[in-house]
Structures are given as C-alpha cells and as structure tokens.
Amino acid sequence: SKCEKSNKVHRPSLMIFSLPISFELENEVILNSANKLLPLMAEGVQKLAVSGADFIVIPCNTAHVLINELRETSGVPILSIIEETVKEIKKTGIRKVGILATTETIKRKLFDNILSKAAIDLIKPNNLNQKKISKMILEILKRKHKGKIRTELIKIVRKLVENGAQAIILGCTDLSLVLNEKNTGIKLFDTTDILANSAVRKLDGE
C-alpha cells in the first residue's frame, strides 16, 4: 500500500484479505501439509494485487511453504517473513540459532537453506519436542492453558540453548502470545515484529 507522510507520521492505506479457515484445516496445515491453502491464498493475493497493492505481506510462517507459487502469480512483490527474519539474524552476528515452529515449517525446511547461505547454524528440537510444540501451538489457537504452555515451551527453549543456540526464532506468529525475552531469558527473533518492521521500511522506500 502507498504511504502518505505528514509531520513524519506514517499513514499507509492498508488492504487486508482475511483468510478464516476451519480448525480442522488449521490442524492439517500445522501438523501435515499447507498445500490445501494454495488456492485460497492465491485468490487473496490476486485480489490484493488487482486492488492496487504495491506489495504484499503474509503474517504466517507456515504459509510460506507456498511463497514461490504465490510470487509467480501475484504480479506484485511479496515480502517473505523467512527472508526478512534471516536478514535480521545476520545483522547481529549470531551464528547458532534455535527455532520453535510448526511441524510443517520444520519438515519443509523453510529456514534451513537461507540460514545456511548466511553461514548460520539452525538448531532444531528433537522429534518428541517438535510434536509437543505443534500441539501447544494448536492449544494457543484455542486459547487454552497459556501458563502451562509457556512453562513447557521455556523448557524446550532451554534445551535448544543447551545444544548451542545463542538465540531463538519464534517461527510461528502465535508464539509471541506466550513467549518474550523476559520470560525466556534469551534473545528472540519474533518473526511477527520483524515482518511488520520490514513492511514499514518498504513503505518508507528503503
């Protein structure tokens, strides 16, 4: 969207295509495959492009499984939450980073290659903890037991740190609802905040 500036206050014109999906489909996307989202997301991307969007952001890590297909049909640039996050990590000089994300994000290695190209090692949870993370993300979506979920996620964060992680990627936009740097005691790369800041910089013409 275009951004008007008045006394250094940014007032962008925003267009939103909301994509509500059933919990059953969300469960499949998180645990198994995001492929069923493609026609729904392609429709949204095309509607935004036709409506005059200058660029598009998708505030969901797992949905970036489909970004190449969406970029091919969008007609306008799509910022990648994955690419923007890795740019921020690279700026810090951190060389080993852990990740909390959905099973689909991990399975499809959304962060692996781009981190590797930046000479950054990715430290992943073991299989048991990965299953726990996806289950807890689904529970967050249902607004259940945030205190218990926070405690369990912090245990997994500590295990990643024990395995060498210098910081943690919150690779699911729902995780920031329960985790922050204060309660984890470690540097976090919140992909939601990073994407929002990247969008603002793009609006500024950077």
Side-chain angles (χ1 to χ4, degrees), residues 88-96 166:
E88 291 302 309
I89 299 171
K90 192 174 180 179
K91 288 177 185 177
T92 67
I94 286 171
R95 286 292 170 258
K96 291 186 178 182
Q166 299 169 287

Side-chain angles (χ1 to χ4, degrees), residues 10-30:
H10 302 282
R11 304 187 180 198
S13 171
L14 300 177
M15 293 178 286
I16 299 174
F17 181 86
S18 178
L19 182 57
I21 60 176
S22 67
F23 183 75
E24 289 73 21
L25 179 53
E26 194 143 33
N27 188 84
E28 180 175 346
V29 168
I30 288 171

Side-chain angles (χ1 to χ4, degrees), residues 1 5 11 42 60 66 68-69 123 127 159 163 182 194-195 199-200 204:
S1 303
K5 298 179 182 179
R11 304 187 180 198
C60 172
L66 309 170
N68 290 334
E69 292 90 338
I123 300 173
N127 290 336
K159 186 63 178 176
N163 291 336
K182 185 175 181 179
I194 290 169
L195 182 63
V200 170
D204 280 343

Side-chain angles (χ1 to χ4, degrees), residues 87-157:
K87 286 178 186 176
E88 291 302 309
I89 299 171
K90 192 174 180 179
K91 288 177 185 177
T92 67
I94 286 171
R95 286 292 170 258
K96 291 186 178 182
V97 63
I99 187 168
L100 302 177
T102 67
T103 297
E104 175 73 342
T105 296
I106 297 297
K107 181 177 68 177
R108 298 289 287 269
K109 299 183 177 181
L110 295 188
F111 281 91
D112 296 52
N113 291 337
I114 187 167
L115 282 168
S116 179
K117 289 178 181 177
I120 300 167
D121 293 334
L122 180 61
I123 300 173
K124 301 177 186 179
N126 61 32
N127 290 336
L128 177 60
N129 281 339
Q130 182 55 53
K131 289 178 181 178
K132 289 180 180 179
I133 292 166
S134 284
K135 181 180 178 181
M136 286 185 280
I137 289 171
L138 290 168
E139 289 178 345
I140 291 170
L141 291 170
K142 293 179 181 179
R143 300 183 180 182
K144 289 186 176 180
H145 313 298
K146 284 188 178 180
K148 182 178 179 181
I149 291 168
R150 181 181 297 111
T151 298
E152 291 303 310
L153 286 172
I154 289 173
K155 288 180 182 178
I156 296 173
V157 166

